Amino acid sequence: MSKKTVEIDENKEFKPSKEFSKKARVSSMAQYKRMHAESIEKPHLFWAREAKELKWQKQWNKVLDWKAPYAKWFDGAKLNVCENCVDRHVEEGRGNKAAIIWEGEPGDKRVITYRQLQREVCRFANALEAKGIKSKDRVLIYMPMTPEATIAMLACARIGAVHSVVFGGFSAESIKDRLEDSEAVAVITADGGWRRGSVVPLKANVDEALKGNKTVKHVIVQKRIGNDVTMKKGRDSWWEDDIADVPATHKAKGFGAEHPLFILYTSGSTGKPKGILHTSAGYMVGTYTTCKYIFDMKEDDVYWCTADVGWITGHSYITYGPLLNGVTQIMYEGAPNFPDFGRFWSIIEEYGVSIFYTAPTAIRAFIKAGDEFVDKHDLSTLRLLGTVGEPINPSAWMWYYDKIGGGRCPIVDTWWQTETGAVMISPLPGATPIKPGTATLPFFGVDAAILDEDGNECKANQPGRLVIRKPWPSMLRTIYGDKKRYRDTYWSDYDGMYTAGDGARKDKKGNIYIVGRLDDVLNVSGHRLGTAEVESALVAHKSVAEAAVIGKPHDIKGQAVVCFVTLKEDAKESDELKKELRNHVGKVIGAIAKPDEIHIAPGLPKTRSGKIMRRLLKELVNTGSITGNVTTLEDSKVIEALQKSLKG
Ligand code: WT7
């Protein structure tokens, strides 16, 4: 098998083939421009037309009511998001169409049709209501990637309860914080989940998180593995028992357009994760529309997004968007390299996947594993590829394009955030010329600009701050329980504009290149991680006095987590201690936060006012020395000592 090296010409554009464009929902740049102009100039017309494709129990009075930074979309309407994802398709004749084709990590398989999904969701909605869970109650979901995770989310939406999904890789302490912040009344979990052949002890983590908790009255446990778990009488019940004797029908009540749909926690630049709140109508219209145009979803597509439902990608592009579009989707429980790096390609071949959405970090891991895992499989059913989560390096893009897409599939590099709810910047696959490394152009309704510190628009190729100048339907509405933080974090840099926290530049054609976060947030394997979160986990350890955390480029993960710590007087530096600290961070936050490097230092570089100068640490780690201005440094000997500890 040949291992061709790819020649990369960054100026080369790839235009969609005539064949692709002809069948696409948006088939030319002229059409994109026309629709984009309308969506910006007459948002009420544009979004009303899109929204009318969905089911409303009562029409809205007004498409948009905007008093920065508070938006109301489709005010006055009554709707049920779950009914739109499920019942609508049964009514429209898709009852026996596969909604979810699921594969467990050990190889077990299930196919769930839209009608079966409707019955399962209704039964679970009835089970939740039987426990007294009602509209606006918060329900924490901590599940493996099983159809029950989707069913749980949809059942919450159906009864108006607000779900808060916590990624199964997060720790008991992370669950505890989120339970406290959201004051959840119930937890939905499983006995365990499979990950690389081992069992993730989900229920045991929930038990630990619930120690001392006062709000949670019910814990519902799906039997996924059959491992031993403790069930607390009066509080815990089995999913299977709860749905045994309830009807498989349930009336989907209409809720207001701004009824809260979910809270999803994400890292910010301070220690405490933010509960991003999304509401019903706008989020529904946003995820529906982006799927339809960006993934060009059609009736016969087989779509697969490899994310976990614990992240926003799993919310918008596994649970809500694809089901709103009535497509068939693949759901896979486990790791991409189990039993080997061919797992994804064998799934694509077996189920005839046509649209595939994954992350650059996964692509880089596949490249490293070697082409032989791909070459064994027939990937000819693919017609469209997507990436999300971080900038994709041109060589990984080219490999994805050639090796996975066979040179015939457009790649949509989609930029968005937990806060934006849906994709904001992306090519439209039948229209936009694509290029490695750029998410290209704003989606409909998105008024994206790159500004300098004074609020002026940057010139072509001049880097600046990415902002969104107008409200969009799937935007976050607030940070749960913290309006002030909502205003301060997103709306205070420029008047009436949303600041994304990302640096970016535009080329002459208007293509947007995302440069990376401007705040103290790292992007580790496409996931956001606050340096402050890792620092506070470190200083919570009995041996640590102070900690500073920075990112460093990493071949596979995008960024590696590099920590500098000073020890308390009675603690001694040792390899065991470093290992212990690494595991400690994993235990406090979750495995994704485990530091790649821990340096024990005699002191940290600080300004005279006592602020840690992370800028110097970054420079030191990335170049080995300091060239910049260090006159504000309180003690210049610290740098020499750090240099020594880095070499050592
Ligand atoms: C941050 C948001 C949106 C779902 C996954 C992450 C980075 C996201 C891209 C992209 C360059 C990207 C940004 C953004 N990011 N997509 N296509 N190109 N960077 O969601 O955890 O809320 O993180 O991910 O830095 O701000 P998230």
Side-chain angles (χ1 to χ4, degrees):
M1 265 157 254
S2 75
K3 273 198 182 170
K4 271 193 300 182
T5 47
V6 278
E7 295 273 314
I8 300 164
D9 175 358
E10 287 195 36
N11 295 315
K12 190 173 167 205
E13 284 184 345
F14 297 80
K15 294 214 167 91
S17 68
K18 283 215 175 69
E19 207 196 330
F20 191 103
S21 292
K22 214 165 57 198
K23 295 186 199 145
R25 292 188 179 268
V26 179
S27 50
S28 68
M29 280 306 281
Q31 189 189 348
Y32 160 73
K33 283 183 184 151
R34 203 165 55 236
M35 289 174 74
H36 189 262
E38 187 204 27
S39 71
I40 295 293
E41 286 152 25
K42 297 175 186 149
H44 47 289
L45 288 185
F46 182 89
W47 290 113
R49 203 170 54 233
E50 292 298 328
K52 278 186 187 145
E53 295 179 4
L54 296 162
K55 184 170 174 179
W56 302 84
Q57 297 190 13
K58 181 174 171 277
Q59 268 273 321
W60 52 89
N61 303 323
K62 200 173 173 191
V63 171
L64 171 64
D65 177 353
W66 174 234
K67 285 182 203 76
Y70 299 106
K72 284 186 194 156
W73 283 89
F74 306 102
D75 198 26
K78 287 252 181 284
L79 72 147
N80 189 296
V81 180
C82 173
E83 178 182 36
N84 272 281
C85 291
V86 181
D87 308 60
R88 191 166 55 90
H89 302 302
V90 178
E91 286 155 22
E92 288 175 8
R94 290 182 201 93
N96 287 326
K97 176 176 179 174
I100 299 172
I101 301 178
W102 178 79
E103 197 168 297
E105 197 185 71
D108 37 347
K109 293 169 189 188
R110 282 162 71 188
V111 177
I112 298 172
T113 64
Y114 275 96
R115 186 184 303 280
Q116 287 170 327
L117 185 63
Q118 183 186 39
R119 291 173 60 83
E120 293 307 313
V121 167
C122 287
R123 289 164 84 192
F124 198 62
N126 284 322
L128 292 175
E129 285 185 337
K131 290 186 189 293
I133 296 165
K134 55 181 195 312
S135 168
K136 294 202 179 160
D137 279 349
R138 274 81 57 212
V139 176
L140 188 137
I141 299 178
Y142 184 65
M143 301 274 281
M145 281 293 288
T146 53
E148 279 69 18
T150 308
I151 292 167
M153 292 166 82
L154 291 170
C156 285
R158 192 172 190 94
I159 66 168
V162 183
H163 61 69
S164 175
V165 185
V166 176
F167 171 54
F170 276 138
S171 64
E173 273 192 54
S174 300
I175 306 172
K176 197 182 179 77
D177 291 346
R178 287 156 176 77
L179 282 174
E180 257 160 41
D181 189 76
S182 64
E183 296 173 305
V185 300
V187 177
I188 305 169
T189 188
D191 51 1
W194 289 110
R195 190 76 189 175
R196 251 170 238 120
S198 357
V199 175
V200 185
L202 298 169
K203 175 62 165 70
N205 289 348
V206 168
D207 290 340
E208 200 180 325
L210 282 172
K211 282 185 190 148
N213 176 285
K214 291 197 178 63
T215 58
V216 173
K217 302 281 177 285
H218 311 279
V219 178
I220 304 174
V221 189
Q222 181 209 353
K223 205 171 270 172
R224 162 66 186 131
I225 307 277
N227 53 326
D228 270 345
V229 296
T230 30
M231 297 291 276
K232 189 172 168 185
K233 237 183 150 189
R235 185 194 71 183
D236 303 358
S237 61
W238 291 104
W239 174 300
E240 293 73 13
D241 295 341
D242 287 342
I243 61 165
D245 297 317
V246 295
T249 54
H250 176 275
K251 192 176 165 350
K253 200 181 131 197
F255 294 98
E258 290 298 332
H259 188 89
L261 183 64
F262 66 85
I263 302 167
L264 183 59
Y265 287 85
T266 188
S267 297
S269 41
T270 64
K272 199 173 152 241
K274 305 174 278 199
I276 303 300
L277 182 87
H278 283 285
T279 59
S280 301
Y283 178 81
M284 173 175 82
V285 173
T287 52
Y288 169 70
T289 314
T290 46
C291 270
K292 187 175 83 170
Y293 290 117
I294 296 169
F295 294 118
D296 192 45
M297 278 185 189
K298 312 265 179 52
E299 194 70 72
D300 56 357
D301 271 312
V302 179
Y303 164 87
W304 183 22
C305 166
T306 68
D308 189 285
V309 289
W311 309 108
I312 190 69
T313 310
H315 283 60
S316 302
Y317 298 108
I318 294 178
T319 299
Y320 292 106
L323 294 180
L324 285 165
N325 280 272
V327 294
T328 294
Q329 74 174 311
I330 307 299
M331 188 178 196
Y332 168 59
E333 177 186 34
N337 58 350
F338 191 87
D340 63 37
F341 273 100
R343 189 64 182 266
F344 277 14
W345 322 126
S346 93
I347 291 177
I348 292 176
E349 177 173 8
E350 179 167 350
Y351 302 105
V353 171
S354 60
I355 306 171
F356 180 62
Y357 192 30
T358 196
T361 183
I363 297 169
R364 291 190 298 263
F366 288 125
I367 296 173
K368 196 168 166 218
D371 288 1
E372 58 272 26
F373 293 104
V374 186
D375 292 336
K376 282 186 223 151
H377 298 284
D378 175 3
L379 304 180
S380 60
T381 53
L382 287 171
R383 68 178 192 92
L384 176 58
L385 303 174
T387 71
V388 60
E390 54 180 314
I392 177 162
N393 36 313
S395 59
W397 194 100
M398 280 313 310
W399 183 88
Y400 196 34
Y401 189 79
D402 285 334
K403 196 76 209 168
I404 305 305
R408 79 185 171 273
C409 307
I411 297 178
V412 289
D413 175 348
T414 60
W415 176 87
W416 58 296
Q417 306 176 296
T418 305
E419 292 87 340
T420 68
V423 176
M424 301 292 276
I425 303 173
S426 169
L428 294 184
T432 319
I434 51 175
K435 260 206 272 203
T438 172
T440 73
L441 304 170
F443 184 66
F444 302 135
V446 176
D447 182 15
I450 293 156
L451 304 184
D452 67 16
E453 286 187 11
D454 303 322
N456 302 312
E457 255 194 85
C458 291
K459 294 187 200 73
N461 289 318
Q462 179 196 343
R465 300 178 189 183
L466 178 59
V467 301
I468 312 295
R469 295 186 288 204
K470 287 196 165 69
W472 64 100
S474 64
M475 64 193 277
L476 79 165
R477 297 303 197 264
T478 190
I479 292 175
Y480 187 72
D482 201 344
K483 269 190 176 178
K484 183 175 179 303
R485 194 171 175 198
Y486 169 67
R487 276 179 175 272
D488 291 351
T489 311
Y490 304 110
W491 302 94
S492 63
D493 287 0
Y494 308 102
D495 206 21
M497 294 181 206
Y498 171 84
T499 358
D502 277 339
R505 68 180 168 87
K506 255 187 205 178
D507 70 11
K508 283 200 182 102
K509 288 186 170 169
N511 289 312
I512 297 171
Y513 289 76
I514 307 296
V515 182
R517 300 286 310 184
L518 295 169
D519 49 11
D520 291 319
V521 172
L522 306 182
N523 192 324
V524 179
S525 301
H527 302 308
R528 248 154 94 169
L529 184 64
T531 52
E533 263 175 276
V534 182
E535 287 165 4
S536 73
L538 283 167
V539 297
H541 188 276
K542 61 180 188 310
S543 302
V544 176
E546 285 184 304
V549 173
I550 59 160
K552 170 182 162 180
H554 184 281
D555 279 355
I556 306 281
K557 294 165 45 161
Q559 275 188 307
V561 183
V562 179
C563 310
F564 291 87
V565 298
T566 61
L567 298 182
K568 288 193 183 147
E569 270 185 20
D570 52 354
K572 261 218 169 78
E573 172 166 2
S574 69
D575 285 345
E576 282 83 77
L577 178 61
K578 286 188 187 175
K579 203 171 145 200
E580 193 181 315
L581 292 178
R582 217 177 103 78
N583 289 334
H584 170 77
V585 175
K587 191 165 180 310
V588 174
I589 303 173
I592 54 158
K594 274 194 179 176
D596 296 87
E597 292 176 24
I598 293 190
H599 301 286
I600 295 180
L604 297 176
K606 287 188 193 159
T607 61
R608 294 200 169 95
S609 59
K611 270 190 148 183
I612 296 173
M613 297 173 83
R614 289 187 187 73
R615 167 179 73 82
L616 295 187
L617 291 171
K618 263 185 225 167
E619 201 182 331
L620 206 57
V621 164
N622 292 317
T623 68
S625 60
I626 304 286
T627 53
N629 183 351
V630 290
T631 52
T632 51
L633 193 64
E634 181 215 30
D635 177 3
S636 57
K637 285 207 196 78
V638 163
I639 296 292
E640 282 167 36
L642 282 170
Q643 263 167 326
K644 254 198 212 137
S645 88
L646 277 172
K647 282 192 191 113

